[in-house]
Amino acid sequence: MSHPIIRVAIADDHPVIRMGVEAAIDQTPTLSCIGAVGDSSALVALLNQSECDVVVTDYAMPGGAFGDGLQLLEYLRTHFPHLRLIVMTGLDQPAMIQALHASGIDHILSKADDASHVPAAVAAAWANRRYLSPSIAQLLPARGAPRAIASLSPREQEVLALFVSGLSVNEIAARLDRRKQTISSQKTAGMAKLGIEKDADLFKFASELGLRGPRPDTE
């Protein structure tokens, strides 16, 4: 009985990580890597030109027209709904992992775990089974993380993530093609769920979650 070849795309801004993931996939006869890229622009271009079944993507991957993190994941879900998504992360904050899992991502790998988990995660994603690498599985049940983060809607998480990355409400509205009032309401609602009243406290809370704050525009 033959098994179908699962076509996999890899996205990570670190060449060494890309090579390690690609090597793990190449060692598995039932998997085929269709490409390994370094940002969201290249990933979307690859998906538009090649048939793909599973995407293995870094969570924090700066650069690229389609962003990273929840913003990129929402874009992929919307425009490539057939894809199975696997997220890799080097962040180990329980609240961030819980928020990612709460947004519907069922396949999460820690970069601290062995690359042998990649083929296993791809197989699980293909079969619609949840897969968490050991370090991630230990973080999800953690009790010390702020539980309110899981109550944020995907759009509230997206707006807050963009805001702490340095974009203004007007810039977020332009990027997401939504009204300024809508973005402001989503930001306010998200902060209220987190029990945060001031923007400065939001930045502090976001850094504890492992989200990036404003970074210099040096790309």
Side-chain angles (χ1 to χ4, degrees):
M1 183 174 63
S2 62
H3 294 275
I5 299 298
I6 303 172
R7 298 160 295 191
V8 184
I10 302 166
D12 195 292
D13 59 322
H14 296 94
V16 173
I17 298 293
R18 291 200 302 271
M19 291 173 59
V21 174
E22 189 169 5
I25 289 173
D26 287 343
Q27 291 172 7
T28 308
T30 56
L31 306 183
S32 174
C33 179
I34 66 165
V37 299
D39 62 38
S40 60
S41 294
L43 175 60
V44 171
L46 176 63
L47 296 176
N48 279 327
Q49 69 185 21
S50 304
E51 294 293 328
C52 183
D53 303 306
V54 179
V55 169
V56 181
T57 180
D58 191 4
Y59 181 83
M61 187 170 56
F66 303 93
D68 63 355
L70 293 174
Q71 179 188 2
L72 174 60
L73 295 173
E74 184 174 353
Y75 181 90
L76 294 176
R77 282 168 160 171
T78 300
H79 293 83
F80 305 95
H82 65 285
L83 284 177
R84 273 78 161 185
L85 302 176
I86 298 172
V87 175
M88 299 186 300
T89 179
L91 304 175
D92 60 358
Q93 287 79 6
M96 192 282 288
I97 300 300
Q98 289 175 355
L100 182 60
H101 193 251
S103 74
I105 299 299
D106 291 327
H107 313 97
I108 310 174
L109 304 177
S110 170
K111 293 184 180 181
D113 291 326
D114 192 86
S116 63
H117 288 283
V118 173
V122 171
W126 179 249
N128 288 319
R129 299 194 314 269
R130 188 173 83 150
Y131 193 96
L132 308 172
S133 69
S135 296
I136 299 298
Q138 291 176 5
L139 291 173
L140 275 175
R143 295 180 178 273
R147 285 178 285 179
I149 189 73
S151 70
L152 295 177
S153 72
R155 291 192 180 276
E156 289 166 351
Q157 292 182 43
E158 178 183 44
V159 168
L160 292 182
L162 289 173
F163 185 76
V164 300
S165 76
L167 296 182
S168 68
V169 169
N170 285 338
E171 289 169 333
I172 297 172
R175 172 175 291 198
L176 301 180
D177 194 23
R178 298 178 202 156
R179 295 189 309 139
K180 174 185 174 181
Q181 293 83 352
T182 300
I183 298 299
S184 181
S185 296
Q186 291 168 341
K187 173 177 173 287
T188 300
M191 290 176 65
K193 288 180 180 179
L194 297 175
I196 294 174
E197 297 180 357
K198 300 178 181 179
D199 288 350
D201 292 334
L202 175 61
F203 282 97
K204 179 180 179 181
F205 184 80
S207 68
E208 292 172 356
L209 294 181
L211 297 174
R212 295 181 307 279
R215 56 180 180 265
D217 188 11
T218 57
E219 298 175 13

